[in-house]
């Protein structure tokens, strides 16, 4: 029987008490169990930490890992960043022979894929942070007044665009070479789905989404 230990993380106390963030994680974990878990399966424990993604002190994760190592169960998380945003912590867990990690949003990913994904995500976050700080310095130099509703809306729109670009860059290594070799949008979508790469909403890729991704990479 396949055994799981579920781990969730929310980044603020408000999220922990109100359930914000937990519902989405529960949804992804539920979808994974329905579609990818062997039948029958059992859940040996569920653990939730409420703290920052940069905080390595995870009391509930520690308990979850103790149970995993003791029982041989798989550690199941909704998304890799719910486990940690630090590639060093993820790498250490992936190297632990007594820990088998499963990510609901990447159901077919092996340890190598998860390690690469974590490293790329960390580099992208660092670069986005540098780019944002540089843009703010340039705006200040030009005398742009920061703050207010309009500026908040503008920053929100920029953040949405940056997130879309970040997601596009994650799959660039697959979609760009295939497109350069003449693969159709449909064929690229099928390859992404076969590789277990989810869309931004956790669903299946369509040709139209591949087209938008390629357009973002050219922008």
């Amino acid at each position: 029987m396949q055994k799981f230990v579920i781990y969730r993380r929310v980044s603020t106390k408000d999220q922990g008490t109100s359930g914000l963030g937990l519902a989405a994680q529960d949804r992804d974990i539920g979808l994974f169990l329905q579609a990818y878990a062997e039948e029958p399966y059992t859940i040996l424990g569920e653990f939730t930490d409420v703290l920052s993604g940069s905080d390595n002190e995870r009391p509930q994760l520690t308990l979850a890992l103790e149970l995993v190592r003791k029982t041989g169960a798989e550690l199941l998380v909704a998304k890799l960043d719910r486990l940690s945003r630090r590639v060093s912590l993820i790498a250490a867990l992936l190297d632990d022979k007594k820990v088998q990690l499963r990510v609901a949003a990447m159901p077919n990913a092996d340890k190598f894929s998860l390690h690469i994904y974590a490293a790329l995500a960390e580099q992208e976050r660092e670069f986005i942070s540098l780019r944002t700080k540089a843009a703010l310095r340039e705006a200040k130099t030009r005398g742009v007044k920061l703050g207010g509703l309009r500026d908040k809306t503008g920053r929100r729109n920029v953040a949405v665009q940056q997130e879309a670009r970040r997601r596009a860059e994650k799959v660039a290594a697959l979609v760009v070479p295939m497109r350069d070799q003449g693969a159709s949008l449909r064929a690229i979508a099928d390859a992404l789905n076969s590789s277990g790469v989810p869309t931004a909403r956790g669903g299946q890729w369509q040709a139209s989404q591949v087209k938008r991704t390629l357009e973002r990479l050219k922008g």
Side-chain angles (χ1 to χ4, degrees):
M1 178 182 294
Q2 195 170 19
K3 298 175 291 187
F4 295 102
V5 171
I6 295 173
Y7 175 72
R8 308 177 186 85
R9 179 181 64 80
V10 286
S11 58
T12 68
K13 185 175 182 180
D14 288 340
Q15 284 182 318
T17 55
S18 68
L20 295 175
L22 291 177
Q25 292 178 61
D26 287 340
R27 177 204 62 206
D28 290 350
I29 288 171
L31 289 172
F32 172 88
L33 293 173
Q34 292 173 16
Y36 295 96
E38 299 174 3
E39 294 286 352
Y41 65 83
T42 183
I43 297 174
L44 301 184
E46 300 185 34
F47 301 84
T48 302
D49 274 317
V50 183
L51 35 72
S52 167
S54 61
D55 191 342
N56 281 334
E57 294 298 325
R58 308 287 182 85
Q60 291 299 303
L61 178 58
T62 298
L63 294 175
L65 289 171
E66 288 177 355
L67 184 57
V68 165
R69 295 185 179 107
K70 180 179 179 180
T71 63
E74 299 176 53
L75 181 67
L76 176 59
V77 297
K79 295 182 179 180
L80 197 56
D81 65 0
R82 294 300 85 194
L83 181 61
S84 178
R85 295 184 184 275
R86 292 181 179 272
V87 67
S88 57
L89 188 150
I90 293 173
L93 289 180
L94 292 174
D95 289 339
D96 191 330
K97 297 185 182 302
K98 292 185 178 181
V99 175
Q100 183 172 353
L101 176 63
R102 298 299 297 272
V103 180
M106 304 175 68
N108 297 317
D110 58 15
K111 286 190 174 183
F112 178 77
S113 299
L114 292 174
H115 198 155
I116 294 299
Y117 180 93
L120 290 174
E122 184 175 81
Q123 290 179 18
E124 289 165 354
R125 285 193 298 272
E126 291 174 353
F127 183 77
I128 288 172
S129 176
L130 291 173
R131 185 170 57 191
T132 301
K133 290 177 181 177
L136 290 174
R137 285 196 300 268
E138 291 175 5
K140 187 176 181 179
T141 300
R142 295 195 304 268
V144 176
K145 184 179 179 180
L146 301 178
L149 181 60
R150 179 174 298 179
D151 290 333
K152 290 181 180 178
T153 300
R155 289 197 296 272
R156 183 164 57 248
N157 291 338
V158 169
V160 170
Q161 294 172 1
Q162 290 177 340
E163 175 66 14
R165 173 75 183 188
R166 183 179 68 83
R167 290 185 177 277
E169 290 171 349
K170 287 181 180 179
V171 297
L174 176 62
V175 301
V176 172
M178 288 188 67
R179 191 58 171 171
D180 289 343
Q181 294 170 12
S184 67
L185 297 175
R186 179 68 265 170
I188 297 174
D190 290 341
L192 288 167
N193 292 329
S194 298
S195 300
V197 179
T199 64
R201 296 179 180 273
Q204 294 286 298
W205 285 85
Q206 304 295 330
S208 59
Q209 293 167 303
V210 174
K211 181 180 179 181
R212 288 196 295 271
T213 296
L214 288 167
E215 290 172 348
R216 290 188 181 107
L217 291 171
K218 292 178 181 178

